[in-house]
Amino acid sequence: MKFAICQELFEGWSWKKQCEFAASVGYTGMEVAPFTLGSNVQEITSEQRQELVRVAADNGLEIIGLHWLLAKTEGLHLTTADSDVRKATSDYLIELGDLCGDLDGKVMVFGSPFQRNLEEGTDSQQAFDRAADVFKSAMPRIADRGVHLLMEPLTTKETDFINTCDQAAELIAAVNHPNFALHQDVKAMLGEGTPLPELIHKHRAITRHFHVNDSNLLGPGMGETDYHPIFEALLESGYDGWVSVEVFDYSPGAEKITQESIDYMRQILSDLGQESR
């Protein structure tokens, strides 16, 4: 099992310091939020991209991909009735695919709740069809970079579009591209009402990435969720992708969250007779 960390929790840290610390406690992957690199993907130069890869590699880390794809952007939306905005969104996803490829990343997680919420006058079927068209338009170019674009179900507290793994699976079937697949997130799955091991096994064929956290918005082991059945299900299902820590409450501090999360996950693996890598 490979452990990564979503790096936006390292607020105010240089990239070098982020990589050095993550590697020092045992992570082997970094997952990047594009808004931490620039307000727009076009601002991130070729030289900057090469330097990000070099620094990560110097610390024995892979940049595994991107998430929070549309956070802090303007004029982009997945389900809007405005065809020009949808076209701009598809084009931006392609540019993010180029960024991901330039960083040697393999996955892009589409969460971005505000940029997918249903506008007034839009029903769920219209939103579904528009989203499918945006992804269909972007996927060939993204796939050309060796990148998978992954749909992330989110809770009803965050968005009114794609709240369950089953709904995401329907969208994935409609887009019908081998590089468009499912991302699973523990906090989000906890809101579905179905046991997480059942969701992991049911969707194992289309799951390409996995975020770990807790309903309290902190890291694994920092809340009430028992990860023994979760990791056991991942192992049984044959999942061989990254397990990436994503938190939303940074108040305990990046060092504490980063260290306690990986310590807990390693303990769970040890209890299950497994090791991380």
Side-chain angles (χ1 to χ4, degrees):
M1 191 170 286
K2 305 178 293 185
F3 293 142
I5 185 88
C6 294
Q7 51 75 238
E8 68 275 5
L9 88 162
F10 296 109
E11 295 179 302
W13 292 35
S14 70
W15 176 248
K16 183 174 184 289
K17 183 179 178 182
Q18 293 177 41
C19 290
E20 288 175 345
F21 182 73
S24 73
V25 299
Y27 292 89
T28 54
M30 296 288 277
E31 186 171 338
V32 174
F35 69 80
T36 66
L37 307 179
S39 58
N40 192 294
V41 68
Q42 291 95 342
E43 296 179 0
I44 308 166
T45 67
S46 176
E47 291 75 16
Q48 288 174 306
R49 297 175 191 209
Q50 293 172 20
E51 180 68 4
L52 290 165
V53 174
R54 184 192 67 77
V55 171
D58 285 349
N59 287 278
L61 296 168
E62 295 180 44
I63 300 176
I64 68 171
L66 310 176
H67 69 295
W68 279 112
L69 301 182
L70 304 185
K72 302 189 180 182
T73 60
E74 295 182 0
L76 303 177
H77 200 280
L78 182 67
T79 63
T80 178
D82 189 325
S83 59
D84 290 337
V85 171
R86 296 200 308 274
K87 173 65 164 56
T89 303
S90 177
D91 290 345
Y92 196 75
L93 289 173
I94 290 169
E95 292 188 73
L96 287 169
D98 285 335
L99 172 63
C100 191
D102 289 346
L103 298 178
D104 295 332
K106 301 300 181 187
V107 296
M108 299 198 316
V109 177
F110 193 98
S112 302
F114 298 118
Q115 290 85 10
R116 75 198 226 195
N117 282 337
L118 273 62
E119 297 176 331
E120 185 175 354
T122 294
D123 64 35
S124 58
Q125 187 59 52
Q126 288 172 320
F128 183 97
D129 292 341
R130 292 168 185 166
D133 285 343
V134 169
F135 291 134
K136 285 178 182 178
S137 178
M139 281 316 306
R141 289 275 302 279
I142 291 172
D144 283 347
R145 295 304 309 264
V147 174
H148 287 75
L149 179 60
L150 310 177
M151 192 66 204
E152 179 180 26
L154 295 171
T155 70
T156 55
K157 295 179 181 179
E158 298 160 299
T159 186
D160 55 7
F161 183 68
I162 307 296
N163 303 119
T164 69
C165 292
D166 283 351
Q167 291 170 353
E170 291 177 6
L171 182 59
I172 290 162
V175 174
N176 191 29
H177 192 287
N179 283 43
F180 186 66
L182 177 66
H183 168 77
Q184 291 188 319
D185 175 279
V186 168
K187 176 178 69 66
M189 289 193 292
L190 287 170
E192 291 200 32
T194 300
L196 268 65
E198 182 177 329
L199 291 173
I200 290 168
H201 282 289
K202 181 176 183 179
H203 298 287
R204 64 186 181 276
I206 59 171
T207 300
R208 299 287 181 273
H209 195 43
F210 200 87
H211 276 171
V212 288
N213 41 41
D214 205 291
S215 58
N216 65 0
L217 308 184
L218 292 171
M222 303 180 79
E224 297 181 355
T225 302
D226 179 12
Y227 268 77
H228 288 88
I230 295 171
F231 277 16
E232 186 172 32
L234 285 173
L235 293 166
E236 289 174 349
S237 72
Y239 178 74
D240 61 357
W242 289 89
V243 172
S244 189
V245 175
E246 182 190 33
V247 301
F248 303 92
D249 178 359
Y250 308 155
S251 59
E255 294 96 333
K256 180 180 175 67
I257 293 168
T258 304
Q259 183 73 66
E260 290 192 7
S261 294
I262 198 167
D263 287 348
Y264 175 74
M265 293 189 294
R266 283 172 162 167
Q267 183 59 56
I268 298 299
L269 285 183
S270 177
D271 293 345
L272 298 173
Q274 302 289 327
E275 294 181 356
S276 64
R277 53 187 171 93

